Amino acid sequence: TQLLEQSPQFLSIQEGENLTVYCNSSSVFSSLQWYRQEPGEGPVLLVTVVTGGEVKKLKRLTFQFGDARKDSSLHITAAQPGDTGLYLCAGAGGSTLGRLYFGRGTQLTVWP
Amino acid sequence: SQTIHQWPATLVQPVGSPLSLECTVEGTSNPNLYWYRQAAGRGLQLLFYSIGIDQISSEVPQNLSASRPQDRQFILSSKKLLLSDSGFYLCAWSVGISEAFFGQGTRLTVV
């Protein structure tokens, strides 16, 4: 079973559109992270959210941590082709020390 | 600053041959170390993680093993590769339960 469920799995949009990606779990995490990965490379950390209800902005990206610290969302405004990639969420602080739990990812393609 | 080195970047190995992938971290002490495998365009499957030397946990029964001969060195091995071992392997490190930092990955093709 997957501890973190991401949706949608695939997203294909035109440049300039807005989108939201979701990361949901029935478990509580001490922190949740979002990564972006390009083909043939390792994931790169975008943001870490720690406090329930926290909202962080990174240019056109807005990240939100649910009040109960079980879910998160990533909203991209006016998407650009450079936003194309695999977006992964990961939860930390489960029952196993040092363990990160990754979702399956959302593959985003932004067409010019 | 901290850096992570993973090699080789690509590898083509015949079925039944041994495997050794190496990962080293610089600029930090006593990191948590991870080996992940990733199917094409999909999420990460945790294979092994280590919170210290001689402290390695295996997540999935498989044809692979891991060792941590030094604090900042993590090695993924196999005695005999299977076709199903093909994939993209990623090494990562973290401190405590904070975010993970990944290497560039190794594309393994077993033929």
Side-chain angles (χ1 to χ4, degrees), chain B residues 39-110:
Chain B
R42 300 309 292 146
L44 302 172
Q45 178 189 33
L46 180 63
L47 301 176
F48 300 94
Y49 70 98
S50 171
I51 60 172
I53 292 177
D54 296 329
Q55 293 179 285
I56 299 172
S57 297
S58 173
E59 285 289 306
V60 180
Q62 60 217 324
N63 187 40
L64 302 168
S65 62
S67 62
R68 186 169 178 171
Q70 300 179 43
D71 179 47
R72 290 171 288 179
Q73 184 184 25
F74 207 24
I75 297 172
L76 183 69
S77 303
S78 173
K79 293 182 179 178
K80 289 185 177 181
L81 284 169
L82 307 172
L83 286 174
S84 57
D85 291 324
S86 294
F88 190 52
Y89 288 83
L90 286 158
C91 179
W93 70 272
S94 71
V95 175
I97 56 172
S98 66
E99 54 267 16
F101 299 91
F102 288 84
Q104 288 297 298
T106 296
R107 172 71 59 193
L108 171 66
T109 303
V110 183

Side-chain angles (χ1 to χ4, degrees), chain A residues 7-94:
Chain A
S7 60
Q9 293 185 38
F10 301 95
L11 194 53
S12 183
I13 62 172
Q14 291 294 128
E15 182 175 5
E17 293 183 20
N18 301 331
L19 67 112
T20 302
V21 175
Y22 299 93
C23 177
N24 297 302
S25 176
S26 57
S27 299
V28 177
F29 294 99
S30 60
S31 69
L32 199 141
Q33 302 137 31
W34 285 93
Y35 298 79
R36 187 167 79 93
Q37 184 181 22
E38 298 193 15
E41 298 184 7
V44 175
L45 180 71
L46 294 174
V47 78
T48 298
V49 286
V50 178
T51 306
E54 181 177 4
V55 176
K56 281 191 174 180
K57 292 192 174 184
L58 189 66
K59 297 183 180 178
R60 294 177 293 100
L61 278 61
T62 301
F63 304 85
Q64 186 162 10
F65 201 12
D67 291 340
R69 292 186 289 133
K70 293 182 179 181
D71 51 79
S72 180
S73 63
L74 159 59
H75 182 79
I76 301 179
T77 304
Q80 299 176 1
D83 295 327
T84 293
L86 180 67
Y87 289 81
L88 296 157
C89 68

